[in-house]
Amino acid sequence: MVLISIVVPAYNEEANIKFMYKKLSQELNPLPFDYEIMFINDGSSDGTLQEILALADQHANVKYISLTRNFGKEGALFAGLKRIKGDAAILMDSDLQHPPELISEMFSGFEEGFHQVVAKRTRTGDSKVRSAFSSFYYKLVNFVTDVDFADGEGDFRLLSRKAINAILQLSESNRFSKGLYSWIGLSKKTIAYENVSRTAGDSKWSFGSLVNYGIDGIISFNMKPLRICFYTGFIVLVLSIIYIGVTFYNITVNGIGAPGYFTTITAILFLGGIQLISLGVIGEYVGRIYNESKQRPNFLVDISNVDEYDAP
């Protein structure tokens, strides 16, 4: 029988773990496949690990990995994918904003032969400002990157074993899963669902975290920002040469006039701003090269009840 692995990263989700397992069991038990639920404790400081251990003692299909510290969601997902045994995996958040009711529909897509079945969240309930910002971000990202990103598509998806193995081959330190899912290609089916509020607890994503995550999406999958810096510098150089030529012509025709304070300050600020932005973009790439060169693992495991799985 087909085995489906549910991968659930958790960071300070003590209040949601038991309810998450209950909801998953209610949805999974009637379905025509075996399943395992892999909880990844991502260095939680509350009782998340204790809740997971209690479930693992009671239910043989509960697997767990506890990381030595908080490595972030990307590292936690990677850890889970390396140790699951399923013919397919469904990636879900532990706050129940990813409805378990969609699992049967995802499995149907898997039976149809799709390697990725993606749940796409609508923007229902989001503020107009947040929706507008998200729409702008995805348009910007798709303009400057070499992979396609769809607004509302995230980690909530089913991956076939072929897709899992493809993801596991991508072992870079600076992981951006949305881009990795798109980069590997393979056949994909999309299903839509309404926005769901968190069951309990608070979101771990601050505005600053979202901004950093957005920058990762832009930088991780392309060289276009560096190319934009080059083009911008070239255009500014051409405009500067034209400006110098026009200024020199005016001097030869009309003589030297009073020095232009506004022109000087504008030129300094404009060129200085471009230089700083360009240095910042270059710095982002250099920093990523530095991190990759150290070849540190994406995560470290403290305790677990399952070893790494070598797919046949």
Side-chain angles (χ1 to χ4, degrees):
M1 184 177 286
V2 172
L3 174 65
I4 303 295
S5 300
I6 313 298
V7 181
V8 186
Y11 175 61
N12 289 344
E13 295 290 354
E14 175 184 5
N16 289 317
I17 296 299
K18 284 184 179 178
F19 191 51
M20 178 73 177
Y21 178 80
K22 180 180 179 181
K23 288 286 292 182
L24 283 173
S25 299
Q26 290 174 351
E27 295 297 326
L28 291 167
N29 286 334
L31 297 178
F33 55 77
D34 293 330
Y35 67 90
E36 63 176 0
I37 302 176
M38 172 69 76
F39 287 102
I40 304 98
N41 174 46
D42 189 19
S44 300
S45 57
D46 62 358
T48 298
L49 177 58
Q50 286 68 37
E51 294 291 332
I52 294 173
L53 293 176
L55 287 174
D57 287 339
Q58 299 170 22
H59 307 283
N61 60 0
V62 173
K63 311 300 180 183
Y64 67 85
I65 305 169
S66 183
L67 306 184
T68 58
R69 64 169 178 81
N70 178 241
F71 285 88
K73 187 177 180 180
E74 300 290 349
L77 284 173
F78 192 55
L81 290 176
K82 286 180 75 70
R83 298 200 176 205
I84 56 172
K85 299 179 180 179
D87 301 292
I90 297 177
L91 314 182
M92 303 183 67
D93 287 348
S94 54
D95 55 12
L96 288 172
Q97 287 188 287
H98 294 163
E101 292 80 6
L102 292 180
I103 291 177
S104 61
E105 192 173 352
M106 287 181 162
F107 182 69
S108 296
F110 173 66
E111 288 187 311
E112 293 169 15
F114 291 98
H115 290 288
Q116 295 196 58
V117 184
V118 185
K120 182 177 181 179
R121 181 173 67 89
T122 67
R123 290 292 173 186
T124 304
D126 283 355
S127 66
K128 292 182 178 180
V129 173
R130 181 167 184 172
S131 297
F133 180 80
S134 297
S135 177
F136 171 76
Y137 169 73
Y138 279 99
K139 288 179 181 178
L140 174 64
V141 168
N142 286 323
F143 175 74
V144 301
T145 60
D146 299 322
V147 295
D148 293 326
F149 295 89
D151 189 3
E153 292 185 7
D155 294 314
F156 187 23
R157 63 185 62 216
L158 179 145
L159 300 173
S160 70
R161 172 49 66 178
K162 184 174 183 178
I164 294 168
N165 292 339
I167 291 291
L168 293 178
Q169 292 181 57
L170 309 177
S171 58
E172 60 257 40
S173 298
N174 297 289
R175 303 184 67 81
F176 186 75
S177 290
K178 284 186 180 181
L180 298 180
Y181 303 140
S182 178
W183 190 88
I184 64 173
L186 300 175
S187 56
K188 183 177 82 169
K189 178 181 181 179
T190 303
I191 56 179
Y193 72 99
E194 294 293 325
N195 191 23
V196 179
S197 299
R198 161 182 282 273
T199 302
D202 298 319
S203 173
K204 309 307 181 295
W205 290 92
S206 64
F207 178 76
S209 299
L210 291 172
V211 171
N212 289 333
Y213 188 69
I215 293 173
D216 286 339
I218 294 174
I219 298 294
S220 295
F221 282 88
N222 72 104
M223 304 295 287
K224 287 184 180 179
L226 291 175
R227 190 71 54 83
I228 290 171
C229 289
F230 173 80
Y231 288 146
T232 303
F234 181 77
I235 291 170
V236 170
L237 175 62
V238 171
L239 293 176
S240 299
I241 292 173
I242 294 173
Y243 177 77
I244 291 170
V246 171
T247 303
F248 181 76
Y249 175 78
N250 287 332
I251 290 174
T252 58
V253 173
N254 303 316
I256 300 175
Y261 173 80
F262 176 77
T263 303
T264 303
I265 292 299
T266 300
I268 292 173
L269 293 177
F270 180 67
L271 293 174
I274 290 177
Q275 289 172 342
L276 289 173
I277 291 173
S278 299
L279 286 173
V281 172
I282 295 170
E284 286 287 337
Y285 281 97
V286 171
R288 280 163 171 73
I289 294 170
Y290 174 65
N291 283 333
E292 294 293 338
S293 69
K294 291 183 288 188
Q295 297 184 335
R296 290 177 178 171
N298 297 98
F299 60 89
L300 293 173
V301 175
D302 183 14
I303 57 173
S304 176
N305 65 347
V306 62
D307 295 326
E308 285 194 14
Y309 175 66
D310 293 324

